Amino acid sequence: MAKGYIEGSEDAVDIYEVFSIYRGSAQKFYAWHRGAVFSQYNAILRPYLEYKRLYDGISKKYSWNTVISHLPKTLNPLQYLSRYLPSHAVERVLALPHKSRQQLDEIIRLLDMDEFCDEALRGKAYALFGLEN
């Protein structure tokens, strides 16, 4: 049916525009659908979402612990910020005093790790920044 329409069309069919319009419509529908589902099934979904948040946070904690534990102590961690943070967040971090506790605490916050970064992990991060715990 679509192939016949395209072949029979006298004007060129702008596939990019067609898919852009479709994508916008699909995104609006899924945004509405997600809101409707969350409204109707909030009591059921809330515990799942909390457990997922905790699982994701603990997973990130152990992942960052592994990464930080295996980095060379001479590495400049600030050069890798753009891999993990958007440019506006990198600018916020770099606006703080260089390799300071404020800078590291802001990175932890921006990575959404403040709740899951325990003292041992924070100590490793401070050591990476050349700070005493």
Side-chain angles (χ1 to χ4, degrees), residues 10-78:
E10 293 177 12
D11 297 329
V13 177
D14 185 355
I15 298 297
Y16 180 80
E17 180 183 1
V18 170
F19 281 105
S20 293
I21 292 169
Y22 175 76
R23 184 183 70 200
S25 297
Q27 287 173 336
K28 285 180 188 175
F29 169 77
Y30 284 117
W32 167 82
H33 183 262
R34 182 178 183 150
V37 168
F38 283 138
S39 291
Q40 185 170 354
Y41 298 105
N42 185 294
I44 295 169
L45 292 171
R46 193 172 56 241
Y48 163 76
L49 293 172
E50 177 62 12
Y51 295 141
K52 183 179 181 322
R53 185 187 71 75
L54 292 172
Y55 175 81
D56 291 345
I58 292 168
S59 293
K60 283 195 306 186
K61 171 187 169 182
Y62 288 116
S63 175
W64 279 112
N65 186 48
T66 302
V67 168
I68 291 172
S69 296
H70 291 90
L71 290 176
K73 300 303 178 208
T74 58
L75 178 85
N76 177 8
L78 296 175

Side-chain angles (χ1 to χ4, degrees), residues 101 118-127 130-133:
R101 288 183 186 276
D118 61 10
E119 288 304 313
L121 180 57
R122 193 174 293 270
K124 289 179 183 181
Y126 282 157
L131 301 167
E132 290 185 24
N133 197 4

Side-chain angles (χ1 to χ4, degrees), residues 66-94:
T66 302
V67 168
I68 291 172
S69 296
H70 291 90
L71 290 176
K73 300 303 178 208
T74 58
L75 178 85
N76 177 8
L78 296 175
Q79 75 187 56
Y80 297 100
L81 284 179
S82 62
R83 289 188 185 179
Y84 305 102
L85 297 173
S87 60
H88 70 278
V90 172
E91 290 171 5
R92 285 179 58 175
V93 169
L94 295 177

